[in-house]
């Protein structure tokens, strides 16, 4: 069945039937707006992302279910990076007229499945026809205890820089796709089905351990650059400390020129944060408890020194903090 | 200058410098999420809309500044239709690589100007390159006193049906564009720069006058159909009571076949609501005070009778409540 046969309202009715409600949702899908309540003493966190076919994804490299999951995760990751919990999701979909309803159903299955895993619910959105690419626009609303939000500003010289998980896997997967090379399924899932670090972000906020935080979406150097700019500080990164997965290390052993993927590749959706160095023990205990590895990768330094990289031989160079420029041709 | 030269972060920096902050905005543009507070006792209203070039607008029929204004108004109209006040806006933009920065600046000027007129502020969003059409995705958050939100459900037999302003102007303007006919500037502005009825919606909510409400975006019959379905009722519309503007009436005198534009044309962004008939006096007093005309156009009847239209001769026919199907080819 094609979407033009099911119709806009038929499709919305299907979504409405499948969407579950949640805490604080007075009225979800089916009115002009969703009507919501936040717990007293909590602040609203809102994030918005676009995913456009041909720019952010290729339909031939992924499947609709994982695309639905990723559409949720990349937004929820922004909430996690502020230390919040996701609550409400809104989905805007621009669908090519010949897009099969079955694929759209798989997309929605993945979207709703991921939403449920994060404890969020779909409460609104908009659907229409697209003249060309599949267009996905997601808005996520979350909550955080007032004053507990972790911002990009807040880093200070002497603090340690940490990152969760491993870096570069997603970019390596994309590199393999682009080159038409075979792809390890684990690497593929790091790109097509990333996991937002909600529990870690929330714990870092509640315990006051993270002084500045961001999620790694544009690449380690670019996103660290955002923290440095907002906090008016510099950073010294230890190249030998970058957390790299087994598959990434194997690739790197054969092709050392792949290292920049871990520095600038983007779409890791790991949490990058600055913390007081004396809290190393508390941080590692938290990481163990949550089963999310965190790695100290550098130190915040005064602004004048910029963003520096030190290699294993102790040589220091200035880092090129440019991440992915979404407006550059390609 | 092309956008690819200014770059994503250069453009975001420009927007950030131009965006003003507002009540309840703890942190706006410049973090992973906006951080916001709602007044105690108020509920959050959230709405999301997509505007896609070639589907919702043609760049050659409008100008970038009005497109920016309309992107705000169509979202704010959903908040108005619940009886709320708009507070925060989020803008997702997918921009063709060759799109001139000057046009984007005009778009943003219009967007921020309309936001300020509605008392809302831009606090977040996402920008990226589009492989084809200009893509605009807006999320609006508003607030309403808890329990005062006016939903689609709530209409009951015996209530009077009202609509604000006039119907069909926007659709007539679109009809003229499509036919390549000359266009009255007032009609053009009704299509390209509609005004969301925020003050009226808020007053109808605060005074408890509207029992069910929606904004007319898909067309009178389709949107009334949404109220009827949600409220499980029917309606009798009086064709001779439809509020038509001078330019629309002039067109209708020459081409009587244009009447369906007022019934099914869409994009009026007027408020359509049901109210107790004994409150006619209170409603007209409110309309006079706000200088927004409202017109009684029919009556809510039991569900079994469906949606009926009575013409000036007293003949009753069943109305075709289909509005615009966004997934239909064309």
């Amino acid at each position: 069945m094609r979407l033009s046969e099911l119709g806009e309202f038929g499709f919305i009715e299907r979504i409405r039937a499948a969407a579950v409600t949640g805490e604080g949702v007075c009225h979800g899908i089916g009115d002009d707006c969703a009507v919501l309540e936040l717990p007293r003493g909590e602040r609203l966190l809102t994030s918005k992302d676009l995913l456009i076919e041909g720019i952010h994804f290729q339909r031939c490299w992924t499947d609709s279910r994982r695309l639905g999951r990723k559409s949720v995760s990349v937004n929820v990751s922004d909430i996690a990076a502020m230390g919040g919990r996701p609550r409400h999701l809104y989905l805007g979909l621009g669908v090519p007229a010949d897009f099969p309803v079955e694929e759209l159903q798989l997309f929605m299955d993945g979207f709703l499945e991921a939403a449920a895993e994060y404890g969020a619910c779909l409460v609104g959105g908009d659907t229409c026809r697209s003249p060309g690419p599949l267009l996905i626009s997601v808005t996520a609303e979350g909550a955080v205890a007032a004053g507990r939000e972790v911002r990009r500003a807040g880093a200070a010289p002497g603090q340690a820089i940490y990152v969760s998980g491993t870096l570069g896997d997603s970019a390596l997967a994309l590199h393999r796709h682009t080159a038409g090379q075979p792809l390890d399924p684990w690497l593929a899932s790091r790109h097509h089905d990333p996991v937002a670090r909600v529990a870690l972000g929330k714990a870092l906020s509640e315990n006051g351990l993270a002084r500045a935080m961001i999620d790694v979406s544009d690449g380690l150097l670019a996103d660290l650059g955002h923290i440095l700019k907002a906090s008016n500080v510099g950073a010294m990164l230890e190249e030998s400390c970058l957390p790299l997965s087994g598959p990434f290390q194997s690739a790197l052993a054969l092709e050392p020129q792949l290292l920049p993927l871990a520095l600038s590749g983007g779409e890791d959706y790991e949490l990058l944060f600055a913390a007081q160095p004396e809290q190393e023990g508390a941080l590692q205990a938290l990481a163990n408890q949550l089963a999310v590895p965190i790695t100290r990768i550098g130190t915040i330094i005064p602004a004048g020194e910029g963003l520096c990289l030190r290699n294993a031989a102790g040589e220091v160079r200035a880092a090129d903090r440019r991440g992915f420029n979404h407006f550059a041709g390609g």
Side-chain angles (χ1 to χ4, degrees), chain A:
Chain A
M1 189 193 270
R2 288 183 174 191
L3 197 52
S4 46
E5 299 163 51
L6 180 62
E8 182 180 13
F9 298 123
F11 178 59
I12 293 173
E13 205 43 61
R14 275 199 184 184
I15 296 176
R16 185 180 178 175
V20 293
T21 189
E23 180 200 355
V25 179
C26 307
H27 307 295
I29 298 169
D31 258 295
D32 295 276
C33 298
V35 184
L36 310 148
E37 267 177 356
L38 286 190
R40 193 165 289 187
E42 303 229 328
R43 285 178 177 166
L44 174 66
L45 299 172
T46 307
S47 161
K48 183 181 181 80
D49 271 309
L50 290 174
L51 286 90
I52 302 177
E53 181 179 354
I55 302 287
H56 300 92
F57 65 92
Q58 306 287 346
R59 265 194 267 162
C60 59
W61 289 347
T62 186
D63 59 78
S64 299
R65 193 165 150 277
R66 288 199 294 185
L67 188 59
R69 291 181 58 86
K70 184 170 180 173
S71 304
V72 172
S73 295
V74 302
N75 265 272
V76 167
S77 181
D78 281 321
I79 305 259
M82 303 293 290
R85 294 166 292 115
R87 293 172 64 95
H88 322 127
L89 296 168
Y90 305 83
L91 172 61
L93 269 180
V95 188
D98 63 350
F99 197 74
V101 170
E102 293 71 24
E103 290 299 312
L104 206 54
Q105 189 62 57
L106 287 170
F107 176 90
M108 288 311 309
D109 290 348
F111 189 99
L112 293 172
E113 181 184 84
E117 287 170 15
Y118 292 120
C121 48
L122 177 65
V123 293
D126 189 21
T127 54
C128 60
R129 192 162 58 88
S130 163
L134 178 63
L135 312 170
I136 305 163
S137 166
V138 179
T139 303
E141 287 172 337
V144 66
R148 281 290 178 193
E149 61 272 10
V150 187
R151 303 185 60 205
R152 296 177 181 178
Q159 290 172 355
I161 303 168
Y162 291 88
V163 71
S164 64
T166 55
L167 294 169
D169 305 317
S170 174
L172 179 57
L174 192 60
H175 177 78
R176 295 276 189 247
H177 276 308
T178 311
Q181 295 168 347
L183 184 55
D184 177 294
W186 183 85
L187 274 181
S189 80
R190 289 281 286 166
H191 182 71
H192 296 300
D193 193 6
V195 177
R197 299 292 195 184
V198 175
L200 177 62
K202 185 168 169 278
L204 290 171
S205 147
E206 286 172 351
N207 299 339
L209 291 169
R211 300 303 173 92
M213 185 152 66
I214 195 169
D215 68 322
V216 183
S217 54
D218 294 325
L220 174 66
L221 297 183
D223 288 311
L224 180 55
H226 294 317
I227 287 185
L228 303 188
K229 192 176 173 200
S231 302
N232 192 29
V233 293
M236 174 69 73
L237 285 182
E238 308 294 337
E239 214 169 79
S240 60
C241 295
L242 295 179
L244 304 177
S245 68
F248 193 95
Q249 287 182 42
S250 305
L252 199 60
L254 298 170
E255 302 171 73
Q257 71 278 16
L258 294 178
L259 183 65
L261 294 179
L263 291 165
S264 310
E267 293 221 74
D268 295 302
Y269 300 107
E270 296 294 348
L271 293 181
L272 174 67
F273 59 96
Q276 292 299 118
E278 62 271 21
Q279 296 191 305
E280 169 79 22
L283 279 168
Q284 290 301 345
L286 185 68
N288 288 338
Q289 187 193 326
L290 298 174
V292 178
I294 62 169
T295 307
R296 178 171 176 172
I297 59 171
T299 306
I300 299 292
I301 59 177
E305 300 179 42
L307 174 48
C308 305
L309 268 172
R310 181 155 45 204
N311 68 14
E315 297 156 350
V316 172
R317 66 180 198 278
D320 176 358
R321 70 173 74 174
R322 283 176 306 176
F324 185 65
N325 177 355
H326 286 288
F327 289 139

